[in-house]
């Protein structure tokens, strides 16, 4: 009898140890594992599983009272039903047809296998998405204490999106150029209602080409159909931008000629023309009434168009020195223009066409002969290629790329230099 009791006791201990080993090796796999954001009204499926058949599958859903015991084939209640291949396959899952605000929180699944009386659990976080408030855009002030900056100043920018759950994805753009990518957004989580604040910072040394560009603070979020955006247009003050001397071809003696100069400067500069030694103020004619200047036209973003009209081009007009002076509170520059009746050399024309593919010159001149008496074009050998609209051609003496890319170190042509101009 004593021997039988001893054997029975050893069997019980071994069996108990087997259950302990089973419990320690039982791992519940849950999908999704990470915190999962879901929009209000959308469905969510969560699956817990082990490698053994289940006796009990119980889940706890935030906002739903108590635990819910589920099994395959049960009819859904309040949009909640079993999900998976069955408890005999070791799967305990739930499908929530429509997520509610109250479902935000910790989800738990509790599993009991058929060969155990102990429970094993797994959990994950359900995040019911809540859109952020409108993004906020903050900038450092300019040197004069306002939101007006000067070329070379450092601009500090902060883009934030408060109130999102989870945190919003914030990005900064200058027009369509991303800025601040070298610094990852900072997320501040609040313990109050799980609201968060996402912040993206950036800094930039401003150039004259940044004037008129739009700062964009963009917040994307799972709860939004499209991102929210807050914008601010930059005001950058800078002097009239330099440009090398421009030689123009294709003028016709006896016809009207137009010199159209586009100057980049902010704020608006004052303009005056000097033709040889005669000064012609903006919007006024010269003493002979043959030359007349226009009032500058604002083309936007610091671009100003000024036109000088020659009533009837004479040979002497091609021998004169034309200077347009632009001056504002940031500085001044003189633009020198040379007129010619010759046809532009083909090699120069090809070079200009290649250079013209770049945009952003400090100033550009368009000089157009008059378009009267077009029926006489075939009879006058001095007229340039008619494929060019109205006959105007741009030909900087210096390589155009020196100013198309915004360089300001281009040397001015010497005043005593002479250019042979065919007439």
């Amino acid at each position: 009898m004593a021997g039988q009791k001893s054997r029975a006791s050893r069997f019980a201990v071994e069996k108990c140890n087997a259950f302990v080993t089973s419990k320690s090796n039982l791992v519940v796999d849950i999908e999704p594992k990470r915190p999962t954001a879901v929009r209000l009204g959308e469905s969510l499926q969560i699956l817990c599983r082990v490698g053994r058949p289940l006796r009990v599958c119980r889940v706890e859903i935030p906002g739903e009272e108590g635990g819910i015991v589920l099994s395959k084939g049960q009819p859904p209640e309040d949009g909640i039903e079993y999900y998976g291949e069955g408890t005999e396959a070791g799967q305990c899952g739930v499908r929530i047809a429509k997520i509610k605000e109250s479902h935000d929180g910790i989800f738990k699944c509790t599993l009991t296998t058929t060969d155990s009386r102990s429970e094993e659990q797994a959990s994950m976080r359900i995040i019911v998405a809540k859109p952020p408030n409108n993004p906020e855009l903050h900038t450092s002030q300019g040197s004069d204490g306002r939101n007006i900056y000067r070329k070379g100043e450092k601009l500090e920018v902060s883009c934030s999106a408060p109130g999102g759950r989870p945190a919003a994805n914030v990005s900064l753009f200058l027009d369509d150029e991303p800025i601040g990518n070298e610094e990852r957004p900072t997320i501040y989580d609040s313990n109050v209602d799980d609201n968060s604040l996402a912040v993206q910072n950036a800094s930039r040394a401003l150039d004259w080409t940044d004037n008129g560009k739009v700062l964009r603070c963009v917040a994307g979020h799972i709860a939004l159909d499209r991102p929210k955006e807050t914008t601010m247009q930059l005001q950058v003050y800078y002097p009239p931008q330099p440009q090398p001397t421009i030689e123009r071809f294709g003028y016709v003696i006896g016809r009207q000629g137009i010199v159209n100069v586009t100057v980049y400067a902010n704020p608006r500069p004052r303009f005056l023309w000097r033709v040889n030694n005669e000064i012609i103020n903006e919007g006024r004619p010269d003493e002979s009434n043959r030359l007349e200047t226009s009032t500058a036209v604002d083309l936007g973003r610091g671009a100003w168009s000024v036109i000088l009209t020659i009533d009837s081009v004479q040979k002497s007009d091609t021998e004169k020195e034309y200077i347009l002076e632009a001056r504002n509170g940031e500085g001044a520059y003189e633009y020198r223009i040379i007129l010619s009746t010759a046809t532009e050399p083909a090699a120069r024309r090809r070079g200009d066409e290649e250079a013209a593919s770049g945009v952003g010159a400090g100033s550009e001149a368009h000089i157009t002969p008059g378009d009267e008496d077009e029926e006489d074009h075939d009879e006058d050998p001095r007229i340039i290629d008619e494929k060019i609209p109205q006959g105007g051609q741009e030909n900087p003496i210096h390589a155009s790329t020196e100013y198309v890319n915004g360089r300001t170190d281009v040397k001015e042509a010497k005043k005593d230099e002479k250019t042979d101009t065919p007439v």
Side-chain angles (χ1 to χ4, degrees):
M1 288 291 293
Q4 290 178 351
K5 288 182 179 180
S6 177
R7 284 195 298 273
S9 177
R10 279 200 308 273
F11 177 77
V13 170
E14 288 172 358
K15 186 175 181 182
C16 181
N17 288 339
F19 276 117
V20 170
T21 302
S22 171
K23 179 178 179 181
S24 63
N25 291 335
L26 191 62
V27 177
V28 180
D29 181 43
I30 185 169
E31 288 292 340
K33 294 180 175 61
R34 296 179 177 274
T36 301
V38 193
R39 294 176 69 160
L40 277 172
E42 289 188 347
S43 64
L44 176 64
Q45 295 168 168
I46 305 173
L47 181 62
C48 301
R49 56 190 169 190
V50 294
R52 300 177 190 178
L54 300 177
R55 182 153 46 92
V56 178
C57 163
R58 183 167 60 87
V59 298
E60 296 176 40
I61 303 172
E64 302 292 336
E65 291 186 6
I68 303 172
V69 177
L70 298 171
S71 62
K72 193 173 183 179
Q74 285 179 336
E77 289 186 24
D78 297 327
I80 298 172
E81 61 182 324
Y82 176 86
Y83 169 72
E85 296 178 4
T87 53
E88 65 277 7
Q91 296 189 4
C92 174
V94 63
R95 180 179 185 274
I96 306 171
K98 287 187 177 182
I99 287 290
K100 299 182 289 187
E101 175 69 32
S102 60
H103 290 155
D104 184 82
I106 302 298
F107 167 89
K108 292 180 182 178
C109 60
T110 303
L111 285 62
T112 304
T113 60
T114 55
D115 59 354
S116 172
R117 290 187 298 178
S118 62
E119 295 179 332
E120 298 296 336
Q121 284 189 342
S123 63
M124 55 85 64
R125 170 74 190 278
I126 300 175
I127 302 174
V128 180
K130 186 174 72 172
N133 300 330
N134 290 329
E136 299 173 2
L137 181 60
H138 300 282
T139 60
S140 57
Q141 290 189 330
S143 56
D144 61 355
R146 298 177 295 165
N147 287 332
I148 296 177
Y149 308 89
R150 286 185 167 79
K151 177 182 175 182
E153 282 189 352
K154 186 177 181 180
L155 174 67
E156 303 280 353
V157 189
S158 178
C159 169
S160 60
R165 188 178 64 200
N169 297 316
V170 290
S171 303
L172 270 169
F173 297 87
L174 189 56
D175 278 352
D176 294 324
E177 174 194 354
I179 59 175
N181 288 346
E182 66 280 355
E183 184 177 328
R184 296 187 63 180
T186 303
I187 307 299
Y188 301 95
D189 287 313
S190 168
N191 293 325
V192 181
D193 198 24
D194 294 318
N195 289 337
S196 62
L197 174 67
V199 180
Q200 174 73 70
N201 297 319
S203 62
R204 182 184 182 93
L206 294 173
D207 201 357
W208 71 271
T209 52
D210 293 325
N211 179 56
K213 290 184 178 180
V214 176
L215 273 174
R216 299 168 50 220
C217 172
V218 180
H221 196 271
I222 185 176
L224 296 173
D225 292 325
R226 59 182 180 182
K228 291 184 174 182
E229 184 171 314
T230 300
T231 63
M232 185 188 88
Q233 189 171 34
L234 285 180
Q235 271 259 54
V236 181
Y237 279 7
Y238 57 93
Q241 293 302 290
Q243 177 186 356
T245 301
I246 293 179
E247 184 177 9
R248 301 306 298 265
F249 300 91
Y251 277 83
V252 180
I253 302 298
R255 293 189 181 177
Q256 185 187 68
I258 296 175
V259 183
N260 182 353
V261 182
T262 302
V263 174
Y264 289 85
N266 191 40
R268 183 196 192 280
R270 300 185 303 276
F271 296 97
L272 65 83
W273 287 86
R274 291 204 307 271
V275 182
N276 283 353
N277 294 323
E278 183 177 355
I279 294 176
I280 310 174
N281 289 313
E282 178 184 355
R284 305 290 299 176
D286 72 337
E287 293 179 356
S288 68
N289 284 323
R290 287 185 57 250
L291 309 180
E292 186 171 358
T293 70
S294 71
T295 301
V297 176
D298 186 357
L299 302 179
R301 289 198 174 192
W304 308 92
S305 174
V306 186
I307 294 175
L308 173 69
T309 302
I310 305 174
D311 182 55
S312 177
V313 175
Q314 305 299 319
K315 177 182 176 181
S316 59
D317 293 324
T318 65
E319 299 168 348
K320 295 176 181 177
E321 182 183 45
Y322 295 84
I323 296 176
L324 172 63
E325 179 185 298
R327 181 183 300 275
N328 64 12
E330 305 300 310
Y333 194 80
E334 293 182 348
Y335 302 96
R336 286 174 166 77
I337 304 157
I338 298 173
L339 279 58
S340 174
T341 58
T343 300
E344 181 177 12
R348 283 190 173 187
R349 182 179 302 174
R350 284 196 299 270
D352 291 340
E353 288 172 353
E354 292 172 0
S357 61
V359 179
S363 168
E364 48 189 27
H366 304 284
I367 306 180
T368 309
D371 54 6
E372 309 92 355
D373 306 324
E374 288 187 0
E375 65 276 7
D376 296 333
H377 280 187
D378 292 337
E379 301 175 6
D380 194 331
R382 295 170 294 182
I383 301 176
I384 67 171
D385 188 350
E386 291 184 2
K387 293 179 182 178
I388 305 304
Q390 297 182 317
Q393 278 294 316
E394 182 179 47
N395 183 65
I397 289 177
H398 300 284
S400 295
T401 51
E402 292 184 350
Y403 63 90
V404 168
N405 292 327
R407 283 182 50 186
T408 58
D409 57 345
V410 181
K411 295 179 180 178
E412 295 182 17
K414 295 178 181 178
K415 291 186 178 180
D416 57 352
E417 264 188 353
K418 294 184 179 179
T419 304
D420 294 331
T421 306
V423 295

